[in-house]
Amino acid sequence: MKVNLLENDFISVESELEIFIVDDLENCDDKEILENIGFEEKDESIAFLPEIGRIYVGFEEHDYESIAIAISIAIKKFKTTKFKSAKIELKDLDLKALVEGTLLGAYEFNEYKSKKKKSKKQELNICVPKITEEIKEVFEQSKVISKAVNKTRDIVNTPPADCYPKVMADIAKKIAKDSNLECTVHGEKYLEKNGMNAMLSVGRASVHESKLIHLAYKPENAKKKVVLVGKGLTYDSGGLSLKPADYMVTMKSDKSGGSAVLGIMSAVAKLNLPIEIHGIIGAVENMIGGDAYKPDDVLKAKNGKTIEIRNTDAEGRLVLADCLCYAQDEIENIDYIFDYATLTGACVVGVGEYTIGVMGNDTVLKRDVVANTLQAGEYATTLPFNRFLRKTIKSEIADICNIANTRYGGAITAGLFLDNFINEENKDKWAHLDIAGPAFVEKDWGYNPYGASGAGVRATLQFLKNLN
Ligand code: BES
Ligand code: ZN
Ligand code: ZN
């Protein structure tokens, strides 16, 4: 789907279809027929009038979410037709919502269908009487943001046989080339040499070599320095603490955090952000085998802390532990350090499958992350640390344990585990985003079709854009 912004009045633009997003039928040309066929000015109500080439969609609130959902419903209908072009009048609708709703809603992942759909090359024309600089900028940025989300979706949706750590590293290199970023990829020798035994152990039973990927965008006169760390488990079988069969399906999505970081990094240069941004991805596959790490093992992380393993399925935190250490050792004077991970099923149970769980030590930062996430059209809430939950990951024989001794608060105890790998000077600069719920969509919602959603990408780009 292509989206164009046209400076023209609606009537004179030639398109085969017209799309109307309406919250009031009163002044509508087709009021009578729409009422007769039971159309309502309500969210998710749609009417297609093929004889006159019109698609109507209802909406109730004038917010981003309602408009984005409404246009995505219209676009899905448009896609079922043979028409090549459709038009919509911008009026007082939110342009960002129109563009993102269109491009995110039109997304399909067809790589693995043997019968390739012929690409129809359809386009949506958004008509505005006058294109101001501001309108143009919103339009261009929304396209870049949507592309970044869809890129992340493509990576996450790719099956584990075709997307393993080296492939993620190759994608990073390609992004670096396209956007003029620095890119370093470290293999297992580096992990071993640098004491990153936690990350190294997780990948030990895999036939695929683990990769530590480091992308950097360094514009001149950068105002701030931000580090993004992503969990890139290209597959999470659970390891020796093997997942039950039903829980293993969809675990190709355990690379969603790392893929979000890749998507974000693909957009930062195009958005001309005046910020130094580092993207660090721990790309690893968690498998079983004679060489697998085991419950009862004690691993030493890069910062010297020892970790008692009691469950090899709590592997993401081990990979992130070393990646967080690496980030803080390599990069000085960090202003913000965020990590993204499909870390716990507990987070999904706690806040539902649509919402990101935001954790950390600084209340203001957490609120800021949540506010930007909501503004960007994603869902997030904070989850609170406390001293008692902190105690539940103590170990009898090592510094800490990789699982808690309680069944409750699993998202938070995982967050508290990561806190052990945040240096004192960065405590208040760190936020942990558990994206286990929204990263992978099993029942489509809003403009998110089945599969990866690209969770965290819009949220972070919004945060970076608002940073000053
Ligand atoms: N990748 C999973 C978490 C997950 C679950 C992501 C469902 C997406 C959907 C993670 O590595 C994991 O297995 N976590 C365990 C932790 C437990 C062993 C303490 C979990 O959540 O069950
Ligand atoms: Zn796991
Ligand atoms: Zn995992």
Side-chain angles (χ1 to χ4, degrees):
M1 185 69 54
K2 199 164 166 255
V3 191
N4 308 308
L5 186 65
L6 302 181
E7 188 171 89
N8 228 323
D9 63 79
F10 186 61
I11 300 174
S12 54
V13 172
E14 272 188 40
S15 290
E16 291 160 289
L17 274 182
E18 296 176 335
I19 294 174
F20 298 94
I21 298 183
V22 291
D23 62 347
D24 185 8
L25 277 184
E26 262 334 294
N27 301 315
C28 180
D29 296 350
D30 303 305
K31 179 171 184 269
E32 213 176 291
I33 174 160
L34 287 170
E35 277 174 350
N36 284 340
I37 60 172
F39 176 83
E40 288 180 301
E41 312 102 305
K42 294 257 170 70
D43 285 342
E44 295 180 37
S45 181
I46 175 164
F48 179 30
L49 310 176
E51 304 85 351
I52 53 171
R54 288 184 170 175
I55 295 173
Y56 280 91
V57 206
F59 79 111
E60 293 159 56
E61 304 279 341
H62 265 264
D63 58 9
Y64 173 97
E65 190 75 342
S66 306
I67 309 282
I69 292 175
I71 190 70
S72 78
I73 291 171
I75 294 296
K76 273 179 223 156
K77 177 54 78 183
F78 173 30
K79 282 184 69 171
T80 65
T81 72
K82 290 202 167 151
F83 297 116
K84 290 277 191 306
S85 61
K87 61 178 175 178
I88 184 164
E89 206 175 357
L90 178 62
K91 282 195 179 156
D92 58 348
L93 298 172
D94 176 351
L95 179 60
K96 185 173 162 65
L98 279 185
V99 175
E100 294 177 9
T102 300
L103 296 175
L104 301 183
Y107 176 85
E108 278 181 67
F109 184 72
N110 292 325
E111 268 326 284
Y112 291 82
K113 298 271 190 199
S114 57
K115 270 205 198 101
K116 294 277 177 241
K117 272 192 197 158
K118 276 198 212 108
S119 103
K120 278 193 270 183
K121 295 219 167 66
Q122 290 176 301
E123 58 184 12
L124 175 71
N125 297 313
I126 302 176
C127 311
V128 205
K130 172 130 191 61
I131 300 177
T132 61
E133 271 308 306
E134 196 191 342
I135 290 182
K136 191 164 164 40
E137 188 173 300
V138 171
F139 177 71
E140 293 302 333
Q141 290 189 348
S142 303
K143 282 203 297 187
V144 171
I145 293 166
S146 309
K147 258 198 186 156
V149 174
N150 287 340
K151 184 178 205 70
T152 299
R153 287 169 163 184
D154 279 343
I155 301 170
V156 175
N157 283 330
T158 303
D162 292 332
C163 188
Y164 42 88
K166 181 182 180 296
V167 175
M168 284 193 89
D170 290 343
I171 296 170
K173 285 180 190 162
K174 167 116 196 344
I175 290 170
K177 203 162 156 231
D178 292 347
S179 281
N180 219 351
L181 312 179
E182 292 174 16
C183 179
T184 320
V185 176
H186 299 294
E188 291 182 352
K189 267 211 188 94
Y190 178 94
L191 301 180
E192 201 177 332
K193 242 179 144 174
N194 288 274
M196 300 176 74
N197 203 39
M199 172 166 167
L200 183 64
S201 299
V202 173
R204 220 166 54 199
S206 170
V207 297
H208 300 293
E209 186 183 3
S210 300
K211 301 285 180 190
L212 172 63
I213 302 163
H214 184 169
L215 283 164
Y217 165 66
K218 295 179 178 168
E220 268 174 43
N221 306 320
K223 293 190 291 187
K224 288 268 154 68
K225 206 184 275 184
V226 179
V227 181
L228 313 171
V229 179
K231 168 178 175 181
L233 261 289
T234 57
Y235 202 69
D236 181 11
S237 70
L240 290 178
S241 314
L242 196 64
K243 284 184 185 296
D246 289 352
Y247 286 67
M248 210 182 291
V249 183
T250 74
M251 277 304 134
K252 67 173 182 181
S253 70
D254 216 20
K255 57 185 178 302
S256 295
S259 306
V261 172
L262 288 173
I264 295 161
M265 294 308 290
S266 77
V268 292
K270 291 181 200 133
L271 293 174
N272 244 320
L273 294 169
I275 307 163
E276 179 171 324
I277 307 169
H278 294 260
I280 291 162
I281 297 129
V284 184
E285 190 184 53
N286 186 20
M287 297 296 286
I288 54 170
D291 196 27
Y293 81 123
K294 310 170 188 70
D296 283 351
D297 272 342
V298 173
L299 311 177
K300 190 184 262 179
K302 192 173 194 295
N303 67 351
K305 286 203 183 178
T306 57
I307 308 164
E308 179 193 355
I309 304 303
R310 291 180 78 92
N311 190 317
T312 61
D313 198 11
E315 84 299 334
R317 61 195 77 183
L318 303 172
V319 173
L320 284 177
D322 272 339
C323 287
L324 288 166
C325 292
Y326 167 89
Q328 296 169 97
D329 289 346
E330 293 296 310
I331 305 157
E332 285 176 344
N333 301 321
I334 296 170
D335 290 296
Y336 296 100
I337 175 161
F338 298 157
D339 74 75
Y340 303 80
T342 45
L343 205 60
T344 65
C347 194
V348 194
V349 174
V351 303
E353 71 228 77
Y354 311 102
T355 304
I356 300 175
V358 179
M359 286 155 263
N361 298 298
D362 189 69
T363 312
V364 176
L365 175 58
K366 282 189 288 181
R367 261 193 229 143
D368 204 17
V369 170
V370 170
N372 277 290
T373 305
L374 298 173
Q375 224 184 74
E378 297 193 64
Y379 294 85
T381 188
T382 61
L383 297 173
F385 288 167
N386 70 50
R387 66 177 77 191
F388 303 108
L389 283 171
R390 199 180 286 277
K391 281 194 226 163
T392 66
I393 47 172
K394 287 205 165 136
S395 161
E396 294 290 335
I397 69 155
D399 296 337
I400 45 169
C401 187
N402 84 324
I403 55 166
N405 61 17
T406 166
R407 298 202 298 133
Y408 308 114
I412 299 173
T413 50
L416 283 164
F417 177 93
L418 297 179
D419 181 53
N420 276 278
F421 302 90
I422 301 295
N423 297 347
E424 226 28 73
E425 73 270 18
N426 291 324
K427 286 284 184 208
D428 289 341
K429 299 171 178 173
W430 167 64
H432 157 57
L433 284 79
D434 193 330
I435 57 171
F440 200 79
V441 176
E442 295 201 65
K443 229 171 65 226
D444 63 345
W445 51 279
Y447 36 80
N448 291 306
Y450 173 87
S453 74
V457 175
R458 282 178 298 153
T460 307
L461 292 173
Q462 185 80 21
F463 181 93
L464 294 171
K465 234 187 90 193
N466 286 339
L467 201 62
N468 45 48

Coordinates of all heavy atoms in Angstrom, one line a residue, residues 388-460:
F388 N 10.6 -6.3 49.2 CA 10.3 -7.7 49.6 C 10.4 -8.6 48.3 O 11.0 -9.7 48.4 CB 8.9 -7.9 50.2 CG 8.7 -7.0 51.4 CD1 8.0 -5.8 51.4 CD2 9.4 -7.3 52.6 CE1 7.9 -5.0 52.5 CE2 9.4 -6.5 53.7 CZ 8.6 -5.4 53.7
L389 N 9.9 -8.1 47.2 CA 10.1 -8.9 45.9 C 11.6 -9.0 45.6 O 12.1 -10.0 45.1 CB 9.3 -8.2 44.8 CG 7.8 -8.5 44.8 CD1 7.1 -7.6 43.8 CD2 7.5 -10.0 44.6
R390 N 12.4 -7.9 46.0 CA 13.8 -8.0 45.7 C 14.5 -9.2 46.4 O 15.4 -9.8 45.9 CB 14.4 -6.6 46.1 CG 15.8 -6.3 45.5 CD 16.3 -5.0 46.0 NE 15.7 -3.8 45.4 CZ 16.0 -3.3 44.2 NH1 16.9 -3.9 43.5 NH2 15.4 -2.3 43.8
K391 N 14.0 -9.5 47.6 CA 14.6 -10.6 48.4 C 14.3 -11.9 47.8 O 15.0 -12.9 48.1 CB 14.0 -10.6 49.8 CG 14.6 -9.5 50.7 CD 14.2 -9.8 52.1 CE 13.8 -8.6 52.8 NZ 13.0 -8.8 54.0
T392 N 13.3 -12.0 46.9 CA 12.9 -13.4 46.4 C 13.8 -14.0 45.4 O 13.7 -15.2 45.1 CB 11.5 -13.3 45.8 OG1 11.5 -12.6 44.6 CG2 10.4 -12.8 46.7
I393 N 14.8 -13.2 44.9 CA 15.7 -13.8 44.0 C 17.1 -14.0 44.6 O 18.1 -14.2 43.9 CB 15.9 -12.9 42.7 CG1 16.0 -11.5 43.0 CG2 14.7 -13.2 41.8 CD1 16.3 -10.6 41.7
K394 N 17.1 -14.0 46.0 CA 18.4 -14.3 46.6 C 18.7 -15.8 46.4 O 17.8 -16.6 46.2 CB 18.2 -14.1 48.1 CG 18.2 -12.6 48.5 CD 18.7 -12.3 49.9 CE 19.0 -10.8 50.0 NZ 18.5 -10.3 51.3
S395 N 20.0 -16.1 46.4 CA 20.4 -17.5 46.3 C 21.2 -18.0 47.5 O 21.9 -17.2 48.1 CB 21.2 -17.6 45.0 OG 22.0 -18.8 45.0
E396 N 21.1 -19.3 47.8 CA 21.8 -19.9 48.9 C 23.3 -20.0 48.5 O 24.2 -20.0 49.4 CB 21.3 -21.3 49.2 CG 19.9 -21.3 49.8 CD 19.8 -20.7 51.2 OE1 20.8 -20.7 51.9 OE2 18.7 -20.2 51.6
I397 N 23.6 -20.2 47.2 CA 25.0 -20.5 46.9 C 25.6 -19.5 45.9 O 26.8 -19.6 45.8 CB 25.1 -22.0 46.3 CG1 24.5 -22.0 44.9 CG2 24.5 -23.0 47.2 CD1 25.1 -23.1 44.1
A398 N 24.8 -18.7 45.3 CA 25.4 -17.7 44.4 C 24.9 -16.3 44.8 O 24.2 -16.1 45.8 CB 25.0 -18.0 43.0
D399 N 25.3 -15.3 44.0 CA 24.9 -13.9 44.4 C 23.4 -13.7 44.2 O 22.7 -13.1 45.0 CB 25.6 -12.9 43.5 CG 27.1 -12.9 43.8 OD1 27.5 -13.3 44.9 OD2 27.9 -12.5 42.9
I400 N 22.9 -14.2 43.1 CA 21.4 -14.2 42.9 C 21.0 -15.5 42.1 O 21.8 -16.2 41.6 CB 20.9 -13.0 42.1 CG1 21.8 -12.8 40.8 CG2 20.7 -11.8 42.9 CD1 21.1 -11.8 39.9
C401 N 19.7 -15.6 42.1 CA 19.1 -16.8 41.4 C 18.3 -16.3 40.2 O 17.8 -15.2 40.2 CB 18.1 -17.4 42.5 SG 17.4 -18.9 41.9
N402 N 18.3 -17.1 39.1 CA 17.6 -16.6 37.9 C 16.1 -16.8 38.0 O 15.4 -16.3 37.0 CB 18.2 -17.3 36.7 CG 17.6 -18.6 36.3 OD1 17.3 -19.4 37.2 ND2 17.5 -18.9 35.0
I403 N 15.5 -17.4 39.0 CA 14.1 -17.3 39.2 C 13.8 -17.0 40.7 O 14.6 -17.2 41.6 CB 13.3 -18.6 38.8 CG1 13.9 -19.8 39.6 CG2 13.4 -18.9 37.4 CD1 13.1 -21.1 39.5
A404 N 12.6 -16.5 40.9 CA 12.2 -16.1 42.3 C 11.7 -17.3 43.1 O 11.4 -18.3 42.5 CB 11.1 -15.0 42.2
N405 N 11.7 -17.2 44.4 CA 11.2 -18.3 45.2 C 9.7 -18.1 45.5 O 9.1 -18.8 46.4 CB 12.0 -18.4 46.5 CG 11.8 -17.1 47.4 OD1 10.9 -16.3 47.1 ND2 12.7 -16.9 48.3
T406 N 9.0 -17.2 44.7 CA 7.6 -17.1 44.9 C 6.9 -17.2 43.5 O 7.5 -16.9 42.5 CB 7.2 -15.7 45.5 OG1 5.8 -15.4 45.3 CG2 8.0 -14.6 44.8
R407 N 5.7 -17.6 43.5 CA 4.9 -17.8 42.2 C 4.4 -16.4 41.8 O 3.9 -16.3 40.7 CB 3.7 -18.7 42.4 CG 4.1 -20.1 42.8 CD 3.0 -21.1 42.5 NE 1.7 -20.8 43.2 CZ 0.5 -20.7 42.6 NH1 0.4 -20.9 41.4 NH2 -0.5 -20.4 43.4
Y408 N 4.4 -15.4 42.7 CA 3.7 -14.2 42.4 C 4.7 -13.1 41.9 O 5.8 -13.1 42.3 CB 3.0 -13.7 43.6 CG 2.1 -14.8 44.1 CD1 2.3 -15.4 45.4 CD2 1.0 -15.3 43.4 CE1 1.5 -16.4 45.9 CE2 0.2 -16.3 43.9 CZ 0.5 -16.9 45.1 OH -0.3 -17.9 45.6
G409 N 4.2 -12.2 41.1 CA 5.0 -11.0 40.7 C 6.1 -11.3 39.8 O 7.2 -10.6 39.8
G410 N 5.9 -12.3 38.9 CA 7.0 -12.8 38.1 C 7.6 -11.7 37.1 O 8.8 -11.8 36.8
A411 N 6.8 -10.8 36.7 CA 7.3 -9.8 35.8 C 8.2 -8.8 36.5 O 9.3 -8.4 36.0 CB 6.2 -8.9 35.2
I412 N 7.9 -8.5 37.8 CA 8.6 -7.6 38.6 C 9.9 -8.3 39.1 O 11.0 -7.6 39.1 CB 7.8 -7.1 39.8 CG1 6.6 -6.4 39.2 CG2 8.6 -6.2 40.7 CD1 5.6 -5.9 40.3
T413 N 9.8 -9.6 39.5 CA 11.1 -10.2 40.0 C 12.1 -10.3 38.8 O 13.3 -10.2 39.0 CB 10.8 -11.6 40.6 OG1 10.0 -12.3 39.8 CG2 10.1 -11.4 42.0
A414 N 11.6 -10.5 37.6 CA 12.5 -10.5 36.4 C 13.1 -9.1 36.2 O 14.3 -9.0 36.0 CB 11.7 -10.9 35.2
G415 N 12.3 -8.1 36.4 CA 12.9 -6.7 36.3 C 13.9 -6.5 37.4 O 15.0 -5.9 37.2
L416 N 13.6 -7.0 38.6 CA 14.6 -6.8 39.7 C 15.9 -7.6 39.5 O 16.9 -7.1 39.9 CB 13.9 -7.3 41.0 CG 12.9 -6.2 41.6 CD1 12.0 -6.9 42.6 CD2 13.6 -5.1 42.2
F417 N 15.7 -8.7 38.8 CA 16.9 -9.4 38.5 C 17.9 -8.6 37.6 O 19.0 -8.4 37.8 CB 16.6 -10.7 37.7 CG 17.8 -11.5 37.2 CD1 18.3 -12.5 38.0 CD2 18.4 -11.3 36.0 CE1 19.4 -13.3 37.6 CE2 19.5 -12.0 35.6 CZ 20.0 -13.0 36.4
L418 N 17.2 -7.9 36.6 CA 18.0 -7.1 35.7 C 18.7 -5.9 36.4 O 19.8 -5.5 36.1 CB 17.1 -6.5 34.5 CG 16.5 -7.6 33.6 CD1 15.6 -6.9 32.6 CD2 17.6 -8.4 32.9
D419 N 18.0 -5.4 37.4 CA 18.5 -4.3 38.2 C 19.9 -4.6 38.8 O 20.7 -3.7 39.0 CB 17.5 -3.9 39.3 CG 17.9 -2.7 40.1 OD1 18.3 -1.7 39.5 OD2 18.0 -2.8 41.3
N420 N 20.1 -5.9 39.0 CA 21.4 -6.3 39.5 C 22.6 -6.0 38.6 O 23.7 -6.1 38.9 CB 21.4 -7.8 39.8 CG 20.8 -8.0 41.2 OD1 21.5 -7.9 42.2 ND2 19.6 -8.4 41.2
F421 N 22.2 -5.7 37.3 CA 23.2 -5.5 36.3 C 23.3 -4.1 35.8 O 23.8 -3.7 34.8 CB 23.1 -6.5 35.2 CG 23.1 -7.9 35.7 CD1 22.0 -8.6 36.2 CD2 24.4 -8.5 35.9 CE1 22.0 -9.8 36.7 CE2 24.4 -9.8 36.5 CZ 23.3 -10.4 36.9
I422 N 22.6 -3.2 36.6 CA 22.6 -1.8 36.3 C 23.6 -1.1 37.2 O 23.4 -1.2 38.5 CB 21.2 -1.2 36.4 CG1 20.2 -1.9 35.4 CG2 21.2 0.3 36.1 CD1 20.5 -1.7 33.9
N423 N 24.6 -0.4 36.7 CA 25.5 0.3 37.6 C 24.9 1.4 38.4 O 23.9 2.0 37.9 CB 26.7 0.9 36.7 CG 27.5 -0.1 36.0 OD1 27.3 -1.3 36.3 ND2 28.2 0.3 35.0
E424 N 25.4 1.7 39.5 CA 24.9 2.7 40.4 C 24.6 4.0 39.7 O 23.5 4.6 39.8 CB 25.9 3.0 41.5 CG 25.4 3.0 42.9 CD 24.2 2.2 43.3 OE1 24.2 1.0 43.3 OE2 23.1 2.9 43.4
E425 N 25.5 4.5 38.8 CA 25.3 5.8 38.2 C 24.2 5.8 37.1 O 23.7 6.8 36.7 CB 26.6 6.3 37.5 CG 27.1 5.6 36.3 CD 28.0 4.4 36.6 OE1 28.0 3.9 37.7 OE2 28.7 3.9 35.6
N426 N 23.7 4.6 36.8 CA 22.7 4.5 35.7 C 21.3 4.0 36.3 O 20.3 3.9 35.5 CB 23.1 3.5 34.6 CG 24.2 4.1 33.8 OD1 24.3 5.3 33.6 ND2 25.1 3.2 33.4
K427 N 21.3 3.8 37.6 CA 20.0 3.3 38.2 C 18.8 4.1 37.8 O 17.7 3.5 37.5 CB 20.1 3.3 39.8 CG 21.0 2.3 40.3 CD 20.4 0.9 40.3 CE 21.4 -0.1 41.0 NZ 21.2 -1.5 40.5
D428 N 18.9 5.4 37.8 CA 17.7 6.2 37.5 C 17.5 6.5 36.0 O 16.7 7.3 35.6 CB 17.8 7.5 38.3 CG 17.5 7.3 39.8 OD1 17.0 6.2 40.1 OD2 17.9 8.2 40.6
K429 N 18.4 6.0 35.2 CA 18.4 6.3 33.8 C 17.9 5.1 33.0 O 17.7 5.1 31.8 CB 19.8 6.6 33.3 CG 20.3 7.8 34.0 CD 21.8 8.0 33.7 CE 22.2 9.3 34.4 NZ 23.7 9.5 34.3
W430 N 17.6 4.0 33.8 CA 17.2 2.7 33.2 C 15.7 2.5 33.3 O 15.1 2.7 34.3 CB 18.0 1.6 33.9 CG 17.5 0.2 33.6 CD1 17.5 -0.4 32.4 CD2 16.9 -0.7 34.6 NE1 17.0 -1.7 32.6 CE2 16.7 -1.9 33.9 CE3 16.6 -0.6 35.9 CZ2 16.1 -3.0 34.5 CZ3 16.1 -1.7 36.5 CH2 15.8 -2.9 35.8
A431 N 15.2 2.0 32.2 CA 13.8 1.5 32.2 C 13.8 0.1 31.5 O 14.4 -0.1 30.4 CB 12.8 2.4 31.5
H432 N 13.0 -0.8 32.0 CA 12.9 -2.1 31.4 C 11.5 -2.3 30.9 O 10.5 -2.0 31.6 CB 13.2 -3.2 32.5 CG 12.6 -4.5 32.3 ND1 12.9 -5.3 31.1 CD2 11.8 -5.3 33.0 CE1 12.2 -6.4 31.2 NE2 11.5 -6.5 32.3
L433 N 11.4 -2.6 29.6 CA 10.1 -2.8 29.0 C 9.8 -4.2 28.7 O 10.4 -4.8 27.8 CB 10.0 -1.9 27.7 CG 9.8 -0.4 27.9 CD1 11.1 0.3 28.2 CD2 9.2 0.2 26.6
D434 N 8.9 -4.8 29.4 CA 8.5 -6.2 29.2 C 7.4 -6.2 28.1 O 6.3 -5.8 28.4 CB 8.0 -6.9 30.5 CG 7.9 -8.4 30.3 OD1 7.6 -8.9 29.1 OD2 8.1 -9.2 31.2
I435 N 7.7 -6.6 26.9 CA 6.8 -6.6 25.8 C 6.2 -8.0 25.5 O 5.7 -8.2 24.4 CB 7.4 -6.0 24.5 CG1 8.7 -6.8 24.1 CG2 7.8 -4.5 24.8 CD1 9.3 -6.4 22.7
A436 N 6.3 -8.9 26.4 CA 5.8 -10.3 26.2 C 4.3 -10.3 25.7 O 4.0 -11.2 24.9 CB 6.0 -11.1 27.4
G437 N 3.5 -9.4 26.2 CA 2.1 -9.4 25.8 C 1.9 -8.9 24.4 O 1.5 -9.7 23.5
P438 N 2.2 -7.6 24.1 CA 1.8 -7.1 22.8 C 2.7 -7.5 21.6 O 2.4 -7.3 20.5 CB 2.0 -5.6 23.0 CG 2.9 -5.4 24.2 CD 2.7 -6.6 25.0
A439 N 3.9 -8.0 21.9 CA 4.9 -8.3 20.8 C 4.3 -9.2 19.7 O 4.5 -9.1 18.5 CB 6.2 -8.8 21.3
F440 N 3.5 -10.2 20.2 CA 3.0 -11.2 19.2 C 1.5 -11.3 19.4 O 1.0 -11.6 20.4 CB 3.7 -12.5 19.4 CG 3.6 -13.4 18.2 CD1 4.4 -13.2 17.1 CD2 2.6 -14.4 18.1 CE1 4.3 -14.0 15.9 CE2 2.5 -15.2 17.0 CZ 3.4 -15.0 15.9
V441 N 0.8 -11.1 18.2 CA -0.6 -11.1 18.3 C -1.2 -12.4 17.8 O -1.0 -12.9 16.7 CB -1.1 -10.0 17.3 CG1 -2.6 -9.9 17.2 CG2 -0.5 -8.6 17.7
E442 N -1.9 -13.1 18.7 CA -2.5 -14.4 18.3 C -3.9 -14.2 17.9 O -4.4 -15.0 17.1 CB -2.4 -15.3 19.5 CG -0.9 -15.6 19.8 CD -0.7 -16.9 20.6 OE1 -1.0 -18.0 20.0 OE2 -0.3 -16.8 21.8
K443 N -4.6 -13.1 18.3 CA -5.9 -12.8 17.8 C -5.9 -11.4 17.4 O -5.7 -10.5 18.3 CB -7.0 -13.1 19.0 CG -8.2 -13.9 18.5 CD -9.0 -14.3 19.7 CE -9.7 -13.1 20.3 NZ -9.7 -13.0 21.7
D444 N -6.1 -11.1 16.1 CA -5.8 -9.7 15.7 C -6.7 -8.7 16.4 O -7.8 -8.9 16.9 CB -6.1 -9.6 14.2 CG -7.5 -9.9 13.8 OD1 -8.3 -10.4 14.6 OD2 -7.9 -9.5 12.6
W445 N -6.1 -7.5 16.6 CA -6.7 -6.4 17.3 C -6.3 -5.1 16.7 O -5.2 -4.9 16.3 CB -6.5 -6.4 18.8 CG -5.0 -6.5 19.3 CD1 -4.2 -7.6 19.4 CD2 -4.2 -5.4 19.7 NE1 -3.0 -7.3 19.8 CE2 -2.9 -6.0 20.0 CE3 -4.4 -4.0 19.9 CZ2 -1.9 -5.2 20.5 CZ3 -3.3 -3.3 20.3 CH2 -2.1 -3.8 20.7
G446 N -7.3 -4.2 16.6 CA -7.0 -2.9 16.0 C -6.4 -3.0 14.7 O -6.9 -3.7 13.8
Y447 N -5.3 -2.4 14.4 CA -4.6 -2.4 13.1 C -3.5 -3.5 13.2 O -2.6 -3.4 12.4 CB -4.1 -1.1 12.7 CG -3.6 -0.3 13.9 CD1 -2.3 -0.5 14.4 CD2 -4.4 0.7 14.5 CE1 -1.9 0.2 15.5 CE2 -4.0 1.4 15.6 CZ -2.7 1.1 16.1 OH -2.3 1.8 17.2
N448 N -3.5 -4.4 14.2 CA -2.5 -5.4 14.3 C -3.0 -6.7 13.8 O -3.9 -7.4 14.4 CB -2.0 -5.6 15.7 CG -1.2 -4.4 16.2 OD1 -0.3 -4.0 15.6 ND2 -1.7 -3.8 17.3
P449 N -2.5 -7.2 12.6 CA -3.0 -8.5 12.1 C -2.3 -9.6 12.9 O -1.4 -9.3 13.8 CB -2.5 -8.5 10.7 CG -1.4 -7.6 10.6 CD -1.6 -6.5 11.7
Y450 N -2.6 -10.9 12.7 CA -2.0 -12.0 13.4 C -0.5 -11.9 13.2 O 0.0 -11.6 12.1 CB -2.5 -13.3 12.8 CG -1.7 -14.5 13.3 CD1 -2.1 -15.1 14.4 CD2 -0.6 -15.0 12.6 CE1 -1.4 -16.2 14.9 CE2 0.2 -16.0 13.1 CZ -0.2 -16.7 14.3 OH 0.5 -17.7 14.8
G451 N 0.3 -12.2 14.2 CA 1.7 -12.2 14.1 C 2.3 -11.1 14.9 O 1.7 -10.5 15.7
A452 N 3.6 -10.8 14.5 CA 4.3 -9.7 15.2 C 3.6 -8.4 15.1 O 3.1 -8.0 14.0 CB 5.7 -9.7 14.7
S453 N 3.7 -7.6 16.2 CA 3.1 -6.2 16.1 C 4.1 -5.1 16.0 O 3.8 -4.0 15.6 CB 2.3 -6.0 17.4 OG 3.2 -5.7 18.5
G454 N 5.4 -5.4 16.3 CA 6.4 -4.3 16.3 C 6.3 -3.5 17.6 O 6.6 -2.3 17.6
A455 N 5.9 -4.1 18.7 CA 5.7 -3.5 20.0 C 7.0 -2.8 20.4 O 8.1 -3.3 20.2 CB 5.3 -4.4 21.0
G456 N 6.9 -1.6 20.9 CA 8.0 -0.8 21.4 C 8.6 0.2 20.4 O 9.3 1.1 20.8
V457 N 8.4 -0.1 19.1 CA 9.1 0.8 18.1 C 8.5 2.2 18.1 O 9.2 3.2 18.3 CB 8.9 0.1 16.7 CG1 9.5 1.1 15.6 CG2 9.6 -1.2 16.7
R458 N 7.2 2.3 18.0 CA 6.5 3.6 18.0 C 6.8 4.3 19.3 O 7.0 5.5 19.4 CB 5.0 3.5 17.6 CG 4.8 3.3 16.2 CD 3.3 3.2 15.9 NE 2.7 2.0 16.6 CZ 1.5 1.9 17.0 NH1 0.6 2.8 16.7 NH2 1.1 0.8 17.5
A459 N 6.6 3.6 20.4 CA 6.8 4.1 21.7 C 8.2 4.8 21.9 O 8.3 5.9 22.3 CB 6.7 3.0 22.8
T460 N 9.2 4.1 21.4 CA 10.6 4.6 21.6 C 10.8 5.8 20.7 O 11.5 6.7 21.1 CB 11.6 3.4 21.3 OG1 11.2 2.3 22.2 CG2 13.0 3.9 21.7

